[in-house]
Amino acid sequence: MENCYDLLIIGGGPAGLSAAIYGGRAKLKTLIINKGAVGGLVNATREIVNYPGYLKVSGPDLMKDFKKHAENVGVEFLKDEVISVDYNQVLKTLTTRKGKQVSAKAVIIACGSEPRLLNIPGEKRLRGMGVAYCATCDADFFEGEDVVVVGSGDQAIEEGMYITKFARKVTVIVLHDEGVLDCNKASAERAFNNKKMEFIWNSTVEEVLGEENVEGVKLKNIKTGSSSILDCQGVFFFVGMIPSTSFLRDSGLEIDQKGYIPVNDLMETNIEGVYAVGDNRVKYLRQVVSAAGDGAAAAVAAERYIEEIENFNAKVLKSDKKVLLLFFNASVSESLQYGAMLEEIVSECSDRYEIIRVDTATKKTLAKKYHIKDIPAAVVLDKGEKIKDLEISMDKEKMKFNLFS
Amino acid sequence: MPLHQLDDDSFEEIIYDNGEACLVVFSRKSCHVCQEVVPVLEELEYKYHGKFGFYRVDIEEQKTLFQRFSFKGVPQIIFFKNGEYQGKLSGKVEDEQVEEKISNTLD
């Protein structure tokens, strides 16, 4: 099938691109589906100074390198947006906005996040008329004017400093007490030393004012409760991000209240063969370097998952004989003993069975599928269909009875 | 297909002289939101071929054209009919919003 892949990656930011590089290197047929420019939100970052190996690099330049690397290992790209997913089959199917259907053995969700809106009066109405969310895109429209920045995280402070290159004055509205910013210390120090930057503490923005264009903001001091009006021509909102996971709402995928996808350390979601990486998963640190790490882990987990499934299909489904799936773990000596006895019985008395061993230390998928909890365990399959769970006994005669009855 | 790009002269001709019912998206290469919005329009253009015009203006290349409008940001999608301004959409928009505006403009 033309639209069938080993690995589908939704999103082309650093997490998705890293997963793709690992997938491509593992010879998986890999496709990235990405709706905007490859690189995702990193493209909005002018300067990255903490990605190892790069003293200072622009977001778009770093992402160009990631993309080139992915292309170099044979990854394919599709510019489109995934609007619905079907995770119910072993082969996962995605439908795009342009009506294309693609399927894959494993899916990695790396669709990132988008700026959070405050939903205050005037914010939506005056968007593009003074209300802005991206300094790289819009800062130079405020040459010589007064600009308000809302928020005090890395993005707010660093973007705010960039805006001072154009604006006459940048006033930062901060929720916290005087002197407390959420951003990193180096940026805070630079911001405090920037003569064009001013701070208003313990305050929030209640409303964006203006008819055709932004003319000011209404501020509220959260300590005193008093309101005031500050004249300005622009307001930049940097009040955090929300995960772009709304298209997954009815997919059966577990998503937390805030929209983030919980995963384990293999980046596995609650659905087999579906992984989540980068900004859209529940995590501690959201940086390019941690996104890249996520992508690598998920791609390796997906590769092993695919191998296990394919091995199962090739050996178990195509076997002429009945298959004895023998679950063992080298650390459980009883399971090794049991395995040896089972081999003995089968080789002595029957050519009706073929034994296939599953090491539960590394292979998790089949153990989960057949609800294996204790080791040793064995399942009898015929053409892939389960006939019975073998009752475990360490007595040879009893074992024979269990097997042939 | 990339949208047809306008400069000062062709803008004048298409919008005001011909009075074509159309939209013009003002964008720039360094704007990642524009990179998401422009493909949405490229997709829609195909659907409205012959009924509604789709054009783009690169604000870096056509500074004077952009300065005619008092916009404070990109992307901006401006709707025109009979040489008259019909409305605009700013920032990140979905195809449904654009289609609604198109049908309002055509009514």
Side-chain angles (χ1 to χ4, degrees):
Chain A
M1 220 168 90
E2 185 199 351
N3 289 334
C4 191
Y5 290 82
D6 293 318
L7 182 60
L8 271 179
I9 298 167
I10 310 174
L17 289 167
S18 301
I21 291 166
Y22 274 74
R25 287 254 310 146
K27 300 280 175 221
L28 297 177
K29 193 179 178 216
T30 303
L31 176 74
I32 289 186
I33 305 178
N34 190 55
K35 65 175 176 177
V38 170
L41 268 189
V42 182
N43 286 332
T45 310
R46 274 172 314 282
E47 209 175 77
I48 294 171
V49 290
N50 52 10
Y51 191 77
Y54 291 80
L55 287 182
K56 190 168 159 184
V57 64
S58 82
D61 283 349
L62 183 61
M63 289 302 100
K64 260 180 219 147
D65 287 352
F66 272 45
K67 185 181 184 221
K68 206 159 75 188
H69 197 160
E71 283 169 338
N72 192 45
V73 292
V75 172
E76 294 174 42
F77 288 82
L78 174 67
K79 194 166 182 173
D80 204 339
E81 182 181 354
V82 175
I83 52 168
S84 71
V85 295
D86 181 357
Y87 293 152
N88 296 320
Q89 311 295 320
V90 175
L91 209 59
K92 323 297 188 242
T93 306
L94 310 180
T95 307
T96 70
R97 188 170 283 279
K98 293 179 187 171
K100 211 167 179 181
Q101 282 205 329
V102 280
S103 54
K105 294 164 193 158
V107 175
I108 296 178
I109 303 164
C111 45
S113 55
E114 54 201 78
R116 184 168 79 91
L117 304 184
L118 276 188
N119 288 318
I120 54 174
E123 184 187 11
K124 210 169 174 186
R125 184 172 56 82
L126 292 164
R127 190 189 222 184
M129 312 306 284
V131 171
Y133 300 88
C134 167
T136 315
C137 311
D138 298 335
D140 60 344
F141 299 126
F142 299 93
E143 187 87 53
E145 298 185 331
D146 290 348
V147 170
V148 160
V149 164
V150 188
S152 77
D154 284 349
Q155 200 195 11
I157 299 304
E158 286 164 16
E159 300 291 277
M161 279 190 281
Y162 176 72
I163 299 166
T164 61
K165 290 186 180 175
F166 305 95
R168 191 181 73 85
K169 185 177 83 179
V170 171
T171 308
V172 186
I173 312 301
V174 187
L175 204 59
H176 312 298
D177 288 335
E178 181 162 358
V180 182
L181 300 177
D182 287 330
C183 69
N184 63 77
K185 285 197 180 101
S187 293
E189 209 168 283
R190 279 173 56 212
F192 289 139
N193 288 328
N194 189 320
K195 288 197 175 66
K196 280 183 162 185
M197 261 182 141
E198 290 176 12
F199 296 86
I200 294 181
W201 308 98
N202 299 122
S203 296
T204 57
V205 177
E206 279 192 313
E207 187 177 352
V208 184
L209 308 166
E211 289 292 320
E212 287 292 311
N213 290 298
V214 169
E215 291 163 21
V217 287
K218 191 174 168 194
L219 302 177
K220 185 177 183 179
N221 185 303
I222 53 167
K223 282 234 161 129
T224 64
S226 65
S227 291
S228 60
I229 286 173
L230 177 67
D231 288 343
C232 63
Q233 287 74 50
V235 196
F236 283 74
F237 287 96
F238 301 108
V239 290
M241 311 295 289
I242 50 167
S244 311
T245 52
S246 53
F247 72 103
L248 297 163
R249 220 172 275 149
D250 302 317
S251 64
L253 194 78
E254 197 187 324
I255 297 176
D256 77 4
Q257 269 188 335
K258 289 180 176 165
Y260 293 104
I261 305 165
V263 295
N264 59 16
D265 58 355
L266 276 73
M267 306 297 139
E268 290 174 324
T269 65
N270 64 316
I271 298 175
E272 196 172 272
V274 179
Y275 306 80
V277 296
D279 281 0
N280 62 23
R281 78 165 176 100
V282 176
K283 68 189 300 192
Y284 172 64
L285 180 68
R286 292 191 166 81
Q287 292 276 298
V288 178
V289 65
S290 58
D294 282 6
V300 170
E303 180 203 347
R304 290 185 182 161
Y305 161 77
I306 291 168
E307 192 191 327
E308 198 177 349
I309 293 290
E310 289 195 328
N311 198 28
F312 179 82
N313 290 346
K315 286 200 182 146
V316 179
L317 298 184
K318 297 210 172 101
S319 177
D320 302 331
K321 303 174 185 174
K322 284 179 185 165
V323 168
L324 271 168
L325 268 189
L326 170 66
F327 295 91
F328 76 101
N329 186 324
S331 66
V332 181
S333 59
E334 200 190 8
S335 73
L336 298 177
Q337 232 175 52
Y338 180 78
M341 283 165 71
L342 204 59
E343 296 265 14
E344 205 179 300
I345 294 168
V346 168
S347 67
E348 272 172 16
C349 2
S350 175
D351 57 359
R352 282 157 54 196
Y353 288 103
E354 182 181 358
I355 293 177
I356 292 176
R357 291 168 166 271
V358 181
D359 182 354
T360 58
T362 53
K363 303 287 166 61
K364 317 275 188 200
T365 310
L366 290 176
K368 212 158 139 193
K369 181 174 178 179
Y370 294 110
H371 309 291
I372 304 301
K373 288 193 179 71
D374 300 313
I375 304 294
V379 175
V380 185
L381 303 175
D382 189 10
K383 304 267 176 293
E385 292 296 319
K386 181 169 132 178
I387 302 173
K388 64 175 177 184
D389 287 308
L390 206 57
E391 208 179 299
I392 301 300
S393 162
M394 299 305 275
D395 176 80
K396 199 168 171 182
E397 286 311 310
K398 230 177 190 168
M399 278 176 80
K400 276 189 195 171
F401 177 79
N402 289 343
L403 197 54
F404 298 115
S405 65
Chain B
M1 248 211 353
L3 302 181
H4 184 74
Q5 192 164 342
L6 299 182
D7 58 21
D8 263 329
D9 294 340
S10 52
F11 188 87
E12 203 68 32
E13 188 186 324
I14 286 166
I15 308 298
Y16 298 113
D17 298 350
N18 302 350
E20 189 181 332
C22 65
L23 64 79
V24 183
V25 59
F26 290 80
S27 66
R28 71 182 347 164
K29 290 183 190 77
S30 62
C31 157
H32 66 279
V33 181
C34 304
Q35 306 294 333
E36 282 182 41
V37 169
V38 172
V40 171
L41 299 179
E42 287 170 351
E43 204 56 33
L44 284 175
E45 180 189 30
Y46 188 71
K47 186 171 165 185
Y48 287 89
H49 190 77
K51 285 177 253 169
F52 196 84
F54 285 68
Y55 302 97
R56 77 185 165 96
V57 171
D58 186 309
I59 66 156
E60 307 278 358
E61 291 164 27
Q62 306 295 333
K63 281 214 162 74
T64 52
L65 194 47
F66 187 68
Q67 279 157 6
R68 285 202 205 172
F69 302 87
S70 62
F71 298 134
K72 290 279 191 192
V74 282
Q76 299 272 0
I77 308 172
I78 323 295
F79 296 78
F80 293 98
K81 193 172 76 175
N82 303 327
E84 278 173 26
Y85 169 85
Q86 303 287 322
K88 68 168 181 77
L89 291 169
S90 309
K92 189 176 181 302
V93 292
E94 304 294 338
D95 51 357
E96 291 91 358
Q97 292 165 272
V98 179
E99 290 203 78
E100 194 189 327
K101 263 297 203 271
I102 290 174
S103 83
N104 290 345
T105 305
L106 286 173
D107 274 348

